[in-house]
Amino acid sequence: MTVATLALLERWQAYSERGIPLHMAQHMMSLTLRIVGQALFSLDLSQETSTIGSAVTTLLELLGDYVFRPFPPLSVPTPRNRRIQRTIHVLDQLVYRMIAERRTRQTEGRDLLSMLLLAQDEETGQGMNDRQVRDEVVTLLLAGHETTANTLTWTWYLLSQSPEIERRLHAELNKVLGDRVPSVADLPELKYTRMVIEEALRLYPPAPVLSRKAIAADELQGYPIAANSMILISPYAVHRHPALWEEPERFDPERFTPERAATRPAYAYFPFGGGPRVCMGNHFAMMEAQLILSTVAQRYQLRLIPGHPVEPQMVVTLRPRYGLPMTIHATERAGRQQ
Ligand code: HEM
């Protein structure tokens, strides 16, 4: 994770020197995509990041629209539905190629892709077909990068608006790491770094709305729920609810000290969902976000282009509607090293 981040920072240097803004949302997307491709599937996706990135953006926008206007259904070839199918086809081609390449080579079960290809049904002894492997790979690739990228993007935005919090973050990085590149062993000590990320996940949960289908008729606090109805649960709304959070709109990582976190109801905060379908990548995501945030912040401070509008947009996930162009500046400490 830090190797990929350091490679990105090297490319940033020229932009930093010339004061050229970078589109942080895109940079975070391609970084986390490369990381998840490498970590789970040993794939170098550096050549594919822009194809996957624009396919994912198109798909989320179209599917976001579909959630609110589900007519006509996907099977009817309207212009929107045809675009959805075309975009899925772009992703499919890429993933089927990866599967075909791996099937032709000897697999040793060292990564998740090999494990998926070698997996056998306990009863029938049958392996997965390409379609089943494709479903798993696409789910993990998409769920495994877009959300973490949004978390980091919003964190950069919040830090750029809160100099005092940024200063405390740098103080922790200086104290715990000095000039060292962070490693997993440092994470328990990077407590404030983690609190900053947790607070960014509160204000901008990348999955702002979760849905469930009622399997039977029920009643919730006096509200009747008909069988088969769709229930929407919003971490975004709950995370900003004044009955649960003091000054809910304020960015304040101190809310996540263990003492204060212990006083809150369990489901006041659920950026990773909950219950049996809780995010299976939550520890991976927190580790990745902590490592990327600390590696970047050790070297750079990110500043929003003055006057650039920032507004959350829900396109299945929560992104900054107008992107996040930022200039990058060497932090004092990194400035001394150069
Ligand atoms: C900050 C980053 C992330 C956030 C905020 C996040 C959020 C979520 C949420 C809210 C759910 C539950 C959806 C529901 O209940 O309907 C979920 C499910 C899931 N997430 Fe994540 N996620 C993140 C990162 C990751 C990563 C890095 C991976 C994989 C490496 C991943 C893989 C998954 C998978 C496979 C599921 C489906 C689990 C199931 O249905 O059993 N996520 N995620």
Side-chain angles (χ1 to χ4, degrees), residues 36 40 139-149 151 197 201 205-207 209-212 235 270-274 276-282 284-286 288-289:
V36 82
L40 301 188
T139 303
L140 286 162
L141 269 187
L142 300 198
H145 88 281
E146 219 265 340
T147 42
T148 315
T151 306
I197 296 164
L201 280 166
V209 177
L210 311 178
S211 63
R212 290 291 183 273
F270 56 112
F272 294 103
R277 311 300 296 195
V278 71
C279 174
M280 63 169 75
N282 56 359
F284 182 100
M286 285 307 293
E288 181 182 6

Side-chain angles (χ1 to χ4, degrees), residues 102-272:
R102 188 64 72 89
R103 281 207 196 275
T104 57
R105 280 191 276 136
Q106 276 293 359
T107 52
E108 291 170 6
R110 284 181 194 277
D111 64 17
L112 202 56
L113 183 53
S114 301
M115 283 161 73
L116 290 170
L117 293 174
L118 292 173
Q120 289 183 337
D121 187 298
E122 274 177 18
E123 281 165 22
T124 64
Q126 270 205 329
M128 287 194 206
N129 61 33
D130 279 359
R131 169 76 200 199
Q132 289 168 315
V133 178
R134 169 263 189 207
D135 288 353
E136 300 296 330
V137 171
V138 169
T139 303
L140 286 162
L141 269 187
L142 300 198
H145 88 281
E146 219 265 340
T147 42
T148 315
N150 284 322
T151 306
L152 286 158
T153 302
W154 288 115
T155 306
W156 296 126
Y157 165 65
L158 290 164
L159 284 173
S160 76
Q161 305 301 299
S162 318
E164 179 50 29
I165 292 171
E166 188 183 52
R167 197 194 55 70
R168 280 199 59 187
L169 173 73
H170 287 147
E172 177 174 271
L173 298 177
N174 285 342
K175 186 164 158 252
V176 176
L177 301 170
D179 295 338
R180 251 179 339 101
V181 175
S183 74
V184 174
D186 295 310
L187 297 185
E189 292 310 310
L190 294 173
K191 293 187 175 68
Y192 194 71
T193 310
R194 188 181 170 97
M195 284 157 58
V196 165
I197 296 164
E198 288 174 321
E199 173 69 342
L201 280 166
R202 179 185 72 83
L203 282 168
Y204 298 103
V209 177
L210 311 178
S211 63
R212 290 291 183 273
K213 191 170 161 186
I215 52 174
D218 204 348
E219 192 188 295
L220 268 183
Q221 303 224 323
Y223 289 95
I225 311 245
N228 292 323
S229 42
M230 177 75 92
I231 314 288
L232 298 181
I233 311 146
S234 170
Y236 185 91
V238 175
H239 289 181
R240 289 173 183 244
H241 201 298
L244 298 165
W245 303 90
E246 238 173 71
E247 290 189 80
E249 307 294 321
R250 195 158 71 87
F251 177 50
D252 176 15
E254 291 295 319
R255 299 176 201 274
F256 287 92
T257 57
E259 300 75 36
R260 284 182 62 186
T263 61
R264 274 193 298 272
Y267 281 103
Y269 182 70
F270 56 112
F272 294 103

Side-chain angles (χ1 to χ4, degrees), residues 71-103:
F71 300 104
L74 284 179
S75 51
V76 180
T78 59
R80 178 189 67 188
N81 291 350
R82 278 206 304 269
R83 273 191 77 198
I84 293 179
Q85 299 304 346
R86 273 201 307 273
T87 315
I88 291 175
H89 183 66
V90 170
L91 286 176
D92 275 354
Q93 274 185 318
L94 213 113
V95 172
Y96 281 129
R97 202 184 67 224
M98 292 169 191
I99 296 171
E101 276 171 15
R102 188 64 72 89
R103 281 207 196 275

